[in-house]
Amino acid sequence: MEKNQQMTTRELVFSFLWLTVAIVPLVTLLLNFIFLRWDWGLMDDMAILNSGSTMVDRFQGYGHALMEWGVLRFTFVAHSSAVYTLFENNPQLLYIFKLFEICMVLLIWGFAAFRITGRKISIVLVPAITLSFHYFYDAFFYLSSHEFLGLFFVGCALHFFLNSIDVGGARRFRWGAWVMTVLFLLCAFGAKEPFVSCGVALGMGYLYLSWEKRGVGISRSMLLAGSILILITVFYVLWLLQSVKSGYSSRYDMFSIPLLSNNFMSWMRKDFLNHSVWVLGAFFIIWKTGIPEIKKSFMNSWELRFGVVIALLLYGGYFLILLPWSTITYYATPLGLFFAFLVTILISRHLFNLRDRSLAIMVIVFLIVNQFVCQYALRREAGYMSDTIQLREWFKKNHLAHRLGNDDVIFANAMEASRAIPLTIERKWQIHLEPFRYSLDPEAPVENRKANFYLYSPRFATMDLNQLANWELVFQSQNWVMYKRGKSQ
């Protein structure tokens, strides 16, 4: 009994240390959101804010605009219309609020891993591993990104999935919990379309468990539940393809070999490279524990086998959905969490088999890794935000000094920013500027008018800067450069 108490104390100490691996990056972000200047971004913020003046107006206006654009995101629209109305005069508070929303998502998935593994360390490991993934931080910095909301609903669906199969004993099937699983999955689909892959993943999870529990009464129910869930998801996808897909979403091409190849290589160079630190960490734990011990634990636990299967289905399915579109930036946010979920299930029962020295070294290494990744992402995005704020203030100053008029034609190599920057300026100072034109050719006439200014950013589409060699440089920062056409031109 004394030995067990000592082991419990040891696990508590190291669980607290692993908690710091997750907490330190989150506290770093929180302090930066509090003390630095954070304003509206250049993605969908202005589109949401300008779609109405009330929550209902924004729900109707923005929802209709997205439908015309070729996407159906009713859950995201409902969430956005609420939070953008609540925080429309204080975007800095919205960054803080979204950080706490994402913390809740991490806890939901951590508790799901705990229910599967039976190890409380899982609650801590999921966020600790997730926060080593670079692109997960985009969810914190891009206010209008959808992915975290889909992860919230899929996490809730997973908990009801576990309720439906009575994960503690798997003696009977709970159809009420299955209905809630389906409802939460539909909410995830309404956050962003790629989450339909999670409907298929959980449906296949039921089919796998029906095979695991073959010969037991619950097997038939799980086979039926999984089949129906997959059918619901397939019908939803077919409906999207037939009734919703158009415009923006029509670019989704599942059969473009060059596109698939480029996106796969992007995943290898960036996503998998980011995963590799924890791939090595997991292999180290498996090596130290021993293959026979690992094999024994999985042979004796259908929960662990199921956990690995469902994690692989979630990751693999979402990856395949992204492959024809983009496997990097904020699109890849769910991959970081699904990967963390998989690794947690693989190692949580064996982590404390390591000696104290090995455990301490791992904690230190991954604390450094997480803080490095956090600081890298924070420095990039905080610098981008600061430069964008300075650029807006430059526009205000030059407009008031009559050096920049309402009818000046401005080209830019940043497509979304071309519309977002003048809209944010108008919202903040009631200064109207014509929407910038996206063009990589500063000499191309638009409606028989040439550009007076060209706004260039190295973050966006590449172009030949020699075209601007004879233009006057009037504003420069790391992320934005403003050129003015010379008189002789």
Side-chain angles (χ1 to χ4, degrees), residues 233-270:
T233 305
V234 169
F235 279 122
Y236 186 90
V237 171
L238 292 175
W239 178 63
L240 287 178
L241 293 174
Q242 294 298 318
S243 304
V244 179
K245 184 181 178 183
S246 63
Y248 172 76
S249 58
S250 64
R251 294 187 294 140
Y252 189 81
D253 186 358
M254 296 178 286
F255 304 105
S256 173
I257 301 302
L259 179 63
L260 296 174
S261 176
N262 287 338
N263 286 339
F264 179 79
M265 293 308 300
S266 294
W267 175 81
M268 285 290 294
R269 290 193 305 268
K270 297 184 178 182

Side-chain angles (χ1 to χ4, degrees), residues 66-326:
L66 287 181
M67 283 288 289
E68 289 187 335
W69 212 28
V71 295
L72 178 66
R73 296 171 185 172
F74 52 89
T75 315
F76 168 68
V77 172
H79 177 269
S80 297
S81 62
V83 299
Y84 277 79
T85 301
L86 184 62
F87 297 105
E88 65 179 319
N89 296 317
N90 197 332
Q92 195 151 357
L93 280 180
L94 182 49
Y95 282 96
I96 297 170
F97 178 76
K98 190 174 183 183
L99 184 147
F100 283 105
E101 286 186 305
I102 296 171
C103 289
M104 183 169 61
V105 170
L106 293 172
L107 284 176
I108 287 171
W109 282 87
F111 273 100
F114 162 61
R115 294 182 67 186
I116 292 170
T117 64
R119 297 295 187 271
K120 292 180 180 178
I121 186 63
S122 300
I123 302 170
V124 175
L125 281 179
V126 168
I129 299 171
T130 301
L131 292 168
S132 69
F133 188 65
H134 172 238
Y135 289 129
F136 191 82
Y137 287 85
D138 287 351
F140 296 104
F141 299 123
Y142 301 154
L143 291 178
S144 60
S145 59
H146 316 21
E147 285 72 15
F148 86 99
L149 193 61
L151 289 171
F152 169 79
F153 287 115
V154 173
C156 293
L158 181 57
H159 277 281
F160 279 104
F161 180 105
L162 297 176
N163 291 344
S164 71
I165 63 174
D166 190 10
V167 71
R171 298 297 181 185
R172 61 189 179 88
F173 193 79
R174 297 171 177 172
W175 283 101
W178 177 84
V179 170
M180 294 302 297
T181 301
V182 175
L183 291 177
F184 274 108
L185 280 172
L186 290 174
C187 289
F189 300 169
K192 200 165 188 179
E193 295 82 358
F195 285 101
V196 294
S197 66
C198 300
V200 175
L202 292 189
M204 293 180 70
Y206 279 123
L207 299 185
Y208 169 78
L209 287 175
S210 72
W211 175 80
E212 270 276 1
K213 296 298 176 180
R214 57 194 181 278
V216 180
I218 195 175
S219 176
R220 287 185 179 180
S221 296
M222 289 192 289
L223 178 61
L224 179 61
S227 300
I228 295 174
L229 178 52
I230 291 173
L231 284 175
I232 290 173
T233 305
V234 169
F235 279 122
Y236 186 90
V237 171
L238 292 175
W239 178 63
L240 287 178
L241 293 174
Q242 294 298 318
S243 304
V244 179
K245 184 181 178 183
S246 63
Y248 172 76
S249 58
S250 64
R251 294 187 294 140
Y252 189 81
D253 186 358
M254 296 178 286
F255 304 105
S256 173
I257 301 302
L259 179 63
L260 296 174
S261 176
N262 287 338
N263 286 339
F264 179 79
M265 293 308 300
S266 294
W267 175 81
M268 285 290 294
R269 290 193 305 268
K270 297 184 178 182
D271 298 20
F272 184 75
L273 181 63
N274 212 172
H275 292 329
S276 62
V277 179
W278 264 106
V279 170
L280 293 174
F283 272 117
F284 174 75
I285 294 168
I286 292 171
W287 171 59
K288 284 292 187 179
T289 302
I291 297 296
E293 183 66 24
I294 298 287
K295 184 178 179 180
K296 180 181 176 182
S297 68
F298 278 88
M299 290 295 293
N300 294 335
S301 173
W302 67 266
E303 291 94 343
L304 286 184
R305 294 194 297 273
F306 158 74
V308 170
V309 168
I310 202 67
L312 287 172
L313 288 170
L314 288 168
Y315 190 101
Y318 205 88
F319 168 71
L320 291 175
I321 287 283
L322 289 185
L323 201 55
W325 191 259
S326 174

Side-chain angles (χ1 to χ4, degrees), residues 32-33 36-40 91-92 95 141 378 381-382 385:
N32 276 272
F33 288 152
L36 296 184
R37 292 179 68 188
W38 291 87
D39 206 338
W40 300 115
Q92 195 151 357
Y95 282 96
F141 299 123
L378 182 60
E381 295 303 327
M385 177 59 67

Side-chain angles (χ1 to χ4, degrees), residues 38 42 142 376-392 395 412-415 417-418 421 436 454-461 463 465 473 475-483:
W38 291 87
L42 301 182
Y142 301 154
Y376 174 81
L378 182 60
R379 182 179 178 183
R380 181 194 66 190
E381 295 303 327
Y384 178 57
M385 177 59 67
S386 176
D387 289 350
T388 302
I389 291 172
Q390 289 180 39
L391 177 67
R392 291 169 182 159
F395 274 106
N413 72 323
M415 186 176 294
S418 297
I421 291 175
F436 304 166
Y454 195 94
L455 179 62
Y456 171 77
S457 173
R459 284 178 65 113
F460 299 101
M463 61 174 290
L465 291 179
L473 186 66
F475 176 86
Q476 185 172 21
S477 64
Q478 184 176 352
N479 289 281
W480 297 106
V481 184
M482 191 73 167
Y483 296 90

